[in-house]
């Protein structure tokens, strides 16, 4: 039973298109994230949600719009795709424990986005 | 802000010999630290975590890490490397930037190569 699942696993699309990546977690966590892994394998946070509320937006272009319909889902919509958006996008979840403390994060398998 | 520095971008060992992957952290308070592993074209798997309990942390697959506050280090070790350990390893610190808002800050990664 996959804890954090993302779809699709691979996404190849042309510049200028709009695409979405979906993420679901069945761990009952209240915090979900999107991370971007660039071509050098460097991982950086994009967004963090807690109980469906956007908490962290790490200077990501407005073309990226996350949406959390409920605690278990966090989707990422990208408008007007650019070549530089090519990367692997990881969804993750963790649980807030109080006093600025969280459990470890569980990651999805990633979505490899290629913009041509 | 919290940060981590992985001191080696590549480490090469022979099968059956010890593994040492080095990580230093910077934190203004007691940090939560993690090691994640990423096999080629796979997602991120948690190896182990430190959350201010025992300073020597045991993880999966025979890996351990020791939290040393005086040296601000969290090095990952394994007594005997196996071919299946070949992967990229990330040292990660939790950075609770605001109430309900946490982000994981990743090191640049260390690629572990295991020679037969």
């Amino acid at each position: 039973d996959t804890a954090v699942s993302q779809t699709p696993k691979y996404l190849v699309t042309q510049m200028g298109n709009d695409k979405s990546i979906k993420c679901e977690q069945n761990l009952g966590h209240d915090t979900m994230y999107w991370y971007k892994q660039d071509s050098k394998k460097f991982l950086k946070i994009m967004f963090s949600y807690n109980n469906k509320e956007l908490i962290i937006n790490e200077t990501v272009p407005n073309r990226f719009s996350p949406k959390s319909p409920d605690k278990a889902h966090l989707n990422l919509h990208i408008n007007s795709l650019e070549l530089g958006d090519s990367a692997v996008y990881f969804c993750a979840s963790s649980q807030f424990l109080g006093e600025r403390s969280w459990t470890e994060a569980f990651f999805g398998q990633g979505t490899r986005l290629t913009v041509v | 802000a919290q940060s981590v520095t992985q001191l080696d971008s590549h480490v090469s060992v022979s099968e059956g010999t010890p593994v040492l992957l080095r990580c230093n952290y910077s934190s203004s308070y007691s940090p939560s630290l993690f090691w994640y592993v990423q096999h080629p074209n796979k997602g991120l798997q948690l190896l182990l975590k430190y959350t201010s309990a025992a300073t020597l942390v045991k993880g999966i697959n025979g890996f351990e890490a020791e939290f040393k506050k005086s040296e601000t280090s969290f090095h990952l070790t394994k007594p005997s490397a196996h071919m299946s350990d070949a992967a990229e390893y990330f040292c990660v610190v939790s950075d609770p930037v605001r109430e309900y808002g946490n982000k994981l800050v990743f090191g640049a990664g260390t690629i572990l190569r295991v020679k037969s």
Side-chain angles (χ1 to χ4, degrees):
Chain A
D1 212 15
T2 306
V4 181
S5 58
Q6 296 178 228
T7 52
K9 192 171 179 185
Y10 299 97
L11 189 50
V12 181
T13 188
Q14 290 188 325
M15 276 174 46
N17 283 352
D18 304 338
K19 289 293 177 188
S20 291
I21 306 171
K22 296 189 174 188
C23 178
E24 176 181 4
Q25 55 98 0
N26 64 5
L27 298 166
H29 289 163
D30 62 1
T31 304
M32 294 187 74
Y33 315 80
W34 279 110
Y35 281 81
K36 179 179 180 180
Q37 186 173 43
D38 64 22
S39 58
K40 294 183 179 172
K41 299 291 193 69
F42 186 66
L43 278 139
K44 190 160 191 263
I45 191 166
M46 300 172 70
F47 304 102
S48 172
Y49 271 72
N50 179 269
N51 279 318
K52 306 192 302 175
E53 183 184 346
L54 178 64
I55 303 293
I56 295 174
N57 180 341
E58 197 79 348
T59 59
V60 177
N62 289 340
R63 299 182 295 102
F64 290 78
S65 52
K67 271 210 175 88
S68 181
D70 55 58
K71 267 191 348 178
H73 295 85
L74 179 61
N75 304 323
L76 183 64
H77 187 76
I78 316 169
N79 288 329
S80 303
L81 278 155
E82 300 177 358
L83 293 176
D85 297 331
S86 295
V88 181
Y89 293 85
F90 285 99
C91 177
S93 74
S94 66
Q95 177 63 34
F96 181 55
L97 299 173
E99 295 185 23
R100 297 167 70 91
S101 177
W102 278 259
T103 65
E104 67 271 30
F106 290 80
F107 284 80
Q109 289 297 296
T111 296
R112 182 174 295 276
L113 172 65
T114 304
V115 183
V116 297
Chain B
Q2 323 279 64
S3 67
V4 288
T5 302
Q6 292 183 242
L7 299 169
D8 307 292
S9 58
H10 292 79
V11 169
S12 185
V13 300
S14 296
E15 193 175 20
T17 64
V19 175
L20 170 64
L21 305 183
R22 299 182 295 163
C23 173
N24 285 353
Y25 70 89
S26 171
S27 173
S28 50
Y29 45 85
S30 184
S32 293
L33 290 158
F34 311 86
W35 277 98
Y36 282 83
V37 61
Q38 185 177 28
H39 287 92
N41 299 314
K42 298 287 187 188
L44 293 147
Q45 182 184 19
L46 179 73
L47 276 179
L48 49 78
K49 62 180 178 181
Y50 167 78
T51 53
S52 77
T55 55
L56 181 61
V57 181
K58 292 187 186 298
I60 62 170
N61 300 334
F63 284 95
E64 289 184 350
E66 187 170 7
F67 174 75
K68 290 188 177 179
K69 187 175 179 180
S70 59
E71 298 175 12
T72 61
S73 69
F74 189 57
H75 300 336
L76 182 70
T77 60
K78 183 173 179 177
S80 176
H82 192 272
M83 295 297 289
S84 60
D85 295 328
E88 186 152 14
Y89 292 78
F90 293 95
C91 182
V92 181
V93 66
S94 176
D95 187 5
V97 295
R98 49 181 286 197
E99 191 173 15
Y100 304 113
N102 179 50
K103 59 180 182 179
L104 296 179
V105 178
F106 282 75
T110 298
I111 295 174
L112 175 64
R113 180 178 167 227
V114 182
K115 298 174 287 186
S116 57

